[in-house]
Amino acid sequence: MASLADELQQLFQQFSGQLEAAANEQAVRKVYADFGGANGAIRLKQKELIKSAPNDQKRVIGQATNEILQNVEAAFNAALGRLASQAEARELARSVDVTLPGRAHRLGHLHPITLARREIEAIFAQLGFTVAVGPQVETDFHNFEALAMPKDHPARDMQDTFYVAGAEGAAGEGADVVLRTHTSPVQIRTMLARKPPVRVIMPGTVYRRDDDATHSPMFNQVEGLCVDEGITFADLKGVLLHFARRFFGEEIGVRLRPSFFPFTEPSAEIDFSHGTCKGRGCRTCKNSGWIEIGGAGMVDPEVFRHVGYDSEKYTGFAFGWGIDRMAMLKYGVDNINAFFEGDVRFARQFR
Ligand code: DAH
């Protein structure tokens, strides 16, 4: 009997030692399982002892070992209780200064180019124009050929572009895939996909090998196209004037100067009177009182031929300009690169 008590006592001591060392609930539960659980050391010992004891001793042994198991159980519960009250004490000791100012989350906002693009789209939407977009990596056919700029046409030189290695693997001058130089190819895609009447506004990013304070190799344009029976140059001017007044202000005037584009005939440069100096002339508008905005004209029958429109039946006008230019004028920004540098101090001014 003495050795039985010793053995159990030893196990209990081991258990107590490990329980004390257990730093968290998981560890406490593991120690309990190792000793007092169904397959724990003490319970196994109990079974073994009872089994090997003579019949008249089994009861006494059972009672003695049960007592130990009760102690194990009690120590286990006490350990859990201790952990719980320690956690509670820690929570209570945590101090919160409710008088500290809160940390505000900074809300994002739209980029000035996006603001300008959306406003342009909204103004044209009221005139019945829908928005269309096309790919930035474009075929030579859509970007040049169908716009009456065949391979050797001198007008291509004004739009020196980035050539992309195409299916044949060739990049460089003469390749058939380019980063689009303007949004005009979306006119072609739109007309190839739909029959007249067509009234679309086509915003998008374009690429050219240009880089200075007023030119970025990547910039944004918006293109307009209106094709129907009986569309005239007067419709073009009316639409442009309406837009200029809505976008820049009622006092703005529009001037169309004769020009040349391969895909329009006749063609014009669009000037808006300079809102900042109220047309009086200043450094920005080179003392003319007018700001060059973009190009426009009546769609050339050659373009209609490429998209399968009947130029005897339909006429149309088209125009295109830089959204970034528009935003620069509207928000008084003098370097186009400011839009693309990603400096939040700049962008934040347009909330
Ligand atoms: N695509 C021309 C450019 O980027 C601008 C332009 C001129 C667009 C006349 C037009 C247009 O739609 O009719 O230089």
Side-chain angles (χ1 to χ4, degrees):
M1 277 308 275
S3 77
L4 160 65
D6 280 353
E7 269 184 84
L8 284 170
Q9 204 52 46
Q10 230 173 25
L11 281 174
F12 186 76
Q13 231 120 55
Q14 268 179 36
F15 163 76
S16 301
Q18 289 188 24
L19 193 67
E20 211 164 308
N24 54 44
E25 187 181 331
Q26 198 189 7
V28 164
R29 288 189 185 280
K30 175 160 186 340
V31 174
Y32 173 73
D34 286 349
F35 290 88
N39 290 313
I42 296 177
R43 232 178 252 285
L44 292 179
K45 190 86 210 164
Q46 179 187 47
K47 274 191 201 143
E48 179 194 321
L49 289 170
I50 293 176
K51 205 169 157 195
S52 61
N55 277 345
D56 61 340
Q57 299 267 319
K58 286 190 199 291
R59 228 175 77 129
V60 186
I61 291 171
Q63 272 170 358
T65 48
N66 273 342
E67 224 166 274
I68 300 268
L69 282 169
Q70 273 159 22
N71 291 342
V72 165
E73 184 92 24
F76 167 61
N77 285 324
L80 285 182
R82 210 164 44 243
L83 284 176
S85 50
Q86 276 167 5
E88 185 178 299
R90 264 199 311 274
E91 273 301 296
L92 289 174
R94 214 162 51 112
S95 64
V96 176
D97 184 349
V98 294
T99 67
L100 278 177
R103 264 171 248 160
H105 289 279
R106 212 180 270 140
L107 284 183
H109 59 89
L110 295 176
H111 189 275
I113 299 298
T114 306
L115 290 174
R117 172 175 57 75
R118 290 199 179 176
E119 192 176 342
I120 295 167
E121 288 170 2
I123 294 169
F124 281 99
Q126 289 178 334
L127 297 175
F129 284 70
T130 54
V131 175
V133 291
Q136 294 178 28
V137 179
E138 198 36 294
T139 66
D140 186 272
F141 170 77
H142 294 89
N143 195 84
F144 293 123
E145 198 85 27
L147 290 159
M149 277 187 271
K151 283 252 181 321
D152 49 4
H153 198 286
R156 285 196 182 204
D157 296 346
M158 293 189 325
Q159 302 194 351
D160 200 5
T161 188
F162 298 99
Y163 291 89
V164 178
E168 348 52 63
E173 199 112 10
D176 275 336
V177 182
V178 298
L179 295 189
R180 67 179 177 195
T181 58
H182 51 177
T183 41
S184 303
V186 191
Q187 287 189 37
I188 302 301
R189 290 185 176 273
T190 303
M191 288 189 282
L192 284 172
R194 303 186 211 169
K195 295 274 153 265
V198 160
R199 247 184 282 176
V200 279
I201 190 89
M202 299 154 274
T205 303
V206 302
Y207 303 86
R208 282 186 208 180
R209 285 168 51 178
D210 275 339
D211 205 358
D212 60 39
T214 51
H215 296 91
S216 156
M218 178 225 58
F219 60 108
N220 299 283
Q221 285 191 334
V222 64
E223 190 87 10
L225 175 70
C226 173
V227 181
D228 203 346
E229 289 178 45
I231 297 292
T232 70
F233 206 85
D235 296 314
L236 168 64
K237 183 150 188 185
V239 165
L240 291 176
L241 187 60
H242 173 83
F243 170 75
R245 290 179 170 170
R246 290 294 306 277
F247 193 79
F248 285 115
E250 283 303 319
E251 71 285 2
I252 298 296
V254 170
R255 184 172 79 170
L256 294 171
R257 277 180 294 122
S259 185
F260 174 80
F261 294 102
F263 38 92
T264 43
E265 182 61 37
S267 302
E269 300 287 339
I270 311 166
D271 294 343
F272 286 0
S273 60
H274 193 204
T276 313
C277 67
K278 305 233 176 319
R280 279 192 296 265
C282 65
R283 218 169 53 145
T284 309
C285 62
K286 300 185 187 100
N287 277 318
S288 72
W290 295 93
I291 294 269
E292 192 177 314
I293 292 292
M298 300 305 290
V299 180
D300 196 298
E302 172 70 2
V303 174
F304 282 156
R305 192 180 64 76
H306 276 290
V307 299
Y309 278 15
D310 180 356
S311 60
E312 293 300 317
K313 189 168 175 199
Y314 299 108
T315 51
F317 66 76
F319 57 85
W321 60 66
I323 299 180
D324 319 293
R325 283 293 308 287
M326 288 260 155
M328 285 169 80
L329 287 170
K330 185 161 174 130
Y331 303 129
V333 174
D334 56 13
N335 186 342
I336 191 172
N337 294 300
F339 288 127
F340 310 128
E341 277 163 357
D343 186 336
V344 286
R345 291 169 305 179
F346 169 78
R348 241 183 247 144
Q349 299 173 70
F350 303 93
R351 258 191 280 218

